[in-house]
């Protein structure tokens, strides 16, 4: 959940980069398409002018002077004139749209019989044929860039524009992402039962209303939780006093009523346990500091407490590993899980711990009837019970598992209720191993 904003930012930046690359490529192709026609026309006009000038010079000269004139023309502007033999092998023009368009425009001016090739005899330039009487000639024009170079300067400008756009996109995305990150963290705290901090409402216009609504919701939840806590704590405290008097009165009944006293005392104890769960639930455990502990130490202490209560708890411990734990809260969680296992099981309870790659798993196993799988998540909510499925024990308020679930989330973990293949229920607590531990 906490990594969502960073992944969202990366995806947005990747999308911006892809869109920029596509738009720059499309812009270059469009520019090339619309620029091709005028460039080809200008190049063709230059070539036609040179050919016509050369042909006119040769026609105007005496036949005996043509060789000298050819030599003189070949020395000007790099243009060269060669005698042609059209029985020679002439390569076709390269499949370049610009060269094909320019060649077509030259033929439109000089005639369709004009032969045009490129880099003939490995001599670079544009080769254009013409004739003077019965004689055939080549004009080689090297200064017209028929082999158009790749526009690296445009690519450089495109890179600058793309970089500036990415920087602007990053700043804009970060501006939007900051309130989103704070909103996610605040929602995470609410989900774990912790009070959410008030979010600043000076974010971008599109998120301001969302932030304002979230703050109002968090305040309403905090007021509701405070009122519920006050109500449950007050009622529980007020009920305990008459219960204590009632128990004292029952203890003072005459011995003839012993058969009644035992049942009444058990009922009073059940009511006291329910009130104790109410107080545990409203008291919370958020204020307890964490300590680096090995959870196996808590499991050994749990086994000793159960042994003093006349119960034999089987424990199988994994390797020692220290993680940040709230000791009293974790002790309450383990006591509740083991107490549930004894209440709903058939007297055989086992606790296992194991260290995995990224988490520590504690399993509390019983041999009771289990629960319907579709009700596993519902039983982790407050005041939810499933006595019809695990019908051995009728007491309780439905808060024990809710308290366990709250404590597991407070430690960044998860609590699962799983039916065992061999029968019974597994309450599996998964606690993350933090990198800095």
């Amino acid at each position: 959940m906490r990594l969502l904003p960073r992944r969202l930012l990366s995806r947005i930046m990747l999308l911006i980069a892809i869109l920029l690359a596509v738009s720059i490529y499309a812009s270059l192709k469009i520019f090339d398409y619309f620029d091709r026609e005028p460039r080809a026309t200008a190049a063709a006009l230059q070539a036609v002018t040179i050919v016509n000038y050369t042909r006119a010079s040769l026609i105007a000269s005496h036949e005996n002077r043509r060789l000298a004139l050819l030599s003189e023309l070949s020395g000007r502007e790099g243009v060269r004139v060669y005698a042609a033999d059209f029985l020679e092998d002439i390569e076709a023009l390269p499949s370049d749209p610009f060269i094909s368009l320019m060649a077509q425009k030259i033929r439109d001016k000089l005639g369709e019989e004009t032969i045009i090739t490129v880099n003939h005899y490995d001599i670079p330039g544009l080769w254009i044929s013409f004739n003077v009487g019965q004689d055939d000639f080549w004009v080689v024009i090297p200064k017209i860039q028929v082999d158009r170079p790749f526009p690296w300067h445009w690519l450089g400008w495109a890179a600058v524009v793309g970089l500036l756009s990415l920087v602007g996109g990053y700043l804009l995305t970060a501006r939007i992402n900051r309130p989103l990150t704070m909103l996610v963290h605040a929602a995470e705290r609410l989900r774990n039962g912790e009070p959410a901090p008030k979010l600043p409402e000076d974010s971008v216009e599109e998120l301001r209303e969302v932030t304002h609504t979230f703050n109002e919701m968090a305040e309403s939840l905090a007021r509701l939780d405070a009122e519920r806590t006050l109500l449950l704590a007050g009622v529980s405290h007020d009920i305990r006093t008459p219960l204590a008097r009632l128990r004292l009165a029952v203890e003072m009944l005459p011995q003839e009523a012993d058969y009644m006293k035992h049942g009444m005392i058990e009922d009073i104890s059940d009511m006291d346990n329910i009130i104790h769960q109410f107080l545990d639930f409203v008291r919370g455990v958020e204020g307890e500091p964490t300590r680096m502990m090995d959870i196996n130490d808590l499991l050994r202490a749990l086994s000793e407490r159960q042994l003093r209560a006349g119960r034999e708890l089987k424990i199988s411990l994994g390797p020692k590993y220290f993680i940040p734990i709230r000791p009293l809260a974790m002790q309450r969680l383990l006591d509740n899980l083991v107490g549930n296992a004894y209440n709903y099981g058939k007297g055989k309870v086992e606790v296992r711990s194991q260290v995995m790659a990224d988490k520590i798993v504690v399993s509390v196993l019983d041999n009771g009837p289990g629960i319907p799988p579709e009700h596993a998540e519902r039983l982790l909510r407050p005041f939810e019970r499933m006595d019809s499925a695990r019908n051995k024990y009728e007491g309780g308020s439905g808060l024990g598992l809710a308290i366990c679930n709250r404590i597991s989330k407070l430690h960044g973990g998860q609590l699962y209720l799983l039916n065992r293949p061999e029968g019974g229920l597994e309450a599996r607590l998964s606690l993350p191993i933090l990198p800095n531990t």
Side-chain angles (χ1 to χ4, degrees):
M1 188 76 173
R2 292 179 182 176
L3 295 178
L4 176 61
R6 186 172 298 175
R7 287 199 296 267
L8 179 62
L9 177 61
S10 300
R11 290 173 182 173
I12 291 176
M13 294 303 299
L14 179 61
L15 178 61
I16 292 175
I18 293 174
L19 291 176
L20 279 174
V22 171
S23 63
I24 291 173
Y25 177 78
S27 300
L28 289 175
K29 297 301 287 185
I30 292 172
F31 175 80
D32 179 72
Y33 176 79
F34 285 103
D35 182 58
R36 186 185 307 157
E37 177 82 19
R39 285 193 309 108
T41 301
L45 180 60
Q46 180 184 357
V48 169
T49 301
I50 293 174
V51 171
N52 288 334
Y53 168 77
T54 304
R55 186 170 182 273
S57 300
L58 290 175
I59 292 175
S61 66
H62 194 275
E63 291 185 1
N64 296 332
R65 296 271 307 158
R66 283 181 181 175
L67 290 177
L69 182 61
L70 288 177
S71 177
E72 184 180 352
L73 290 175
S74 297
R76 293 184 179 181
E77 303 293 332
V79 176
R80 286 169 287 182
V81 182
Y82 298 106
D85 179 7
F86 295 130
L87 296 178
E88 57 193 280
D89 293 332
I90 300 174
E91 295 184 6
L93 288 173
S95 58
D96 183 276
F98 173 74
I99 296 177
S100 300
L101 182 60
M102 182 182 62
Q104 184 59 45
K105 289 183 178 295
I106 292 174
R107 288 192 183 99
D108 291 342
K109 297 290 186 181
L110 299 180
E112 289 296 329
E113 71 279 0
T114 303
I115 300 173
I116 302 172
T117 188
V118 174
N119 301 335
H120 192 41
Y121 291 126
D122 292 328
I123 298 175
L126 179 66
W127 292 59
I128 304 173
S129 70
F130 71 96
N131 62 342
V132 177
Q134 299 298 319
D135 298 325
D136 297 318
F137 298 94
W138 288 110
V139 169
V140 184
I141 308 172
K143 289 189 177 181
I144 296 178
Q145 297 184 358
V146 286
D147 294 327
R148 185 188 176 197
F150 190 82
W152 293 107
H153 59 290
W154 286 109
L155 200 60
W157 282 112
V160 172
V161 171
L163 181 61
L164 292 177
S165 301
L166 282 177
V167 171
Y170 176 82
L171 295 177
L172 179 62
T173 306
R175 175 79 173 117
I176 298 175
N177 188 62
R178 186 178 65 86
L180 281 178
T181 303
M182 297 175 66
L183 183 62
V184 168
H185 289 170
E188 181 78 11
R189 288 177 64 90
L190 276 182
R191 191 187 71 159
N192 292 334
E194 304 175 32
K198 185 170 182 175
L199 301 178
E201 298 181 11
D202 59 345
S203 59
V204 293
E205 179 100 18
E206 292 76 7
L207 295 176
R208 189 173 301 149
E209 186 175 350
V210 175
T211 305
H212 178 71
T213 303
F214 181 85
N215 285 335
E216 289 186 341
M217 180 193 70
E219 291 175 0
S220 298
L221 289 175
R223 285 196 302 270
L224 181 63
D225 188 63
E227 292 170 0
R228 181 195 63 179
T229 300
L230 181 63
L231 175 63
L232 291 178
V235 171
S236 301
H237 181 271
D238 292 342
I239 290 177
R240 273 193 152 177
T241 300
L243 275 181
R245 291 199 301 265
L246 183 59
R247 177 158 189 167
L248 180 61
V250 170
E251 294 284 356
M252 296 178 64
L253 288 175
Q255 292 184 354
E256 292 79 5
D258 280 349
Y259 69 96
M260 297 176 55
K261 288 169 57 177
H262 181 69
M264 294 174 69
I265 289 174
E266 283 190 351
D267 289 341
I268 293 172
S269 296
D270 289 342
M271 294 173 66
D272 191 61
N273 287 335
I274 292 174
I275 293 172
H276 183 70
Q277 284 190 336
F278 274 115
L279 292 176
D280 278 348
F281 185 74
V282 301
R283 185 163 52 231
V285 293
E286 289 81 5
E288 183 186 2
T290 60
R291 288 169 46 195
M292 297 302 296
M293 293 187 62
D294 178 16
I295 199 168
N296 290 336
D297 295 337
L298 294 178
L299 295 179
R300 293 188 189 93
L302 173 64
S303 176
E304 293 173 0
R305 288 196 303 275
Q306 294 298 324
L307 186 61
R308 288 195 295 270
R311 296 170 175 171
E312 184 177 355
L313 177 65
K314 181 180 179 182
I315 59 174
S316 301
L317 304 181
K320 178 181 292 189
Y321 203 101
F322 288 84
I323 59 174
I325 291 176
R326 291 176 167 88
L328 294 179
M330 188 58 64
Q331 177 182 317
R332 187 182 308 168
L333 182 152
L334 296 173
D335 283 337
N336 281 347
L337 292 182
V338 171
N340 274 352
Y342 277 114
N343 290 333
Y344 291 104
K346 300 177 182 178
K348 184 179 179 182
V349 178
E350 181 181 357
V351 179
R352 300 173 184 169
S353 70
Q354 51 184 327
V355 179
M356 297 186 176
D358 58 346
K359 60 188 175 181
I360 293 177
V361 176
V362 177
S363 299
V364 178
L365 313 173
D366 66 40
N367 58 347
I371 60 173
E374 63 271 15
H375 295 294
E377 291 188 10
R378 184 172 67 84
L379 290 176
L380 298 177
R381 297 197 292 263
F383 304 107
E384 295 286 352
R385 299 174 62 187
M386 202 65 203
D387 291 333
S388 59
R390 291 162 63 88
N391 54 10
K392 177 181 178 180
Y393 182 70
E394 297 293 336
S397 62
L399 287 175
L401 289 176
I403 294 172
C404 295
N405 192 40
R406 176 190 287 185
I407 295 173
S408 69
K409 289 183 177 179
L410 189 65
H411 286 79
Q414 291 287 333
L415 181 63
Y416 307 94
L417 301 179
L418 308 169
N419 287 315
R420 303 172 64 193
E422 63 271 26
L425 186 73
E426 175 187 357
R428 181 182 299 172
L429 173 64
S430 175
L431 299 174
I433 294 176
L434 301 181
N436 59 355
T437 59

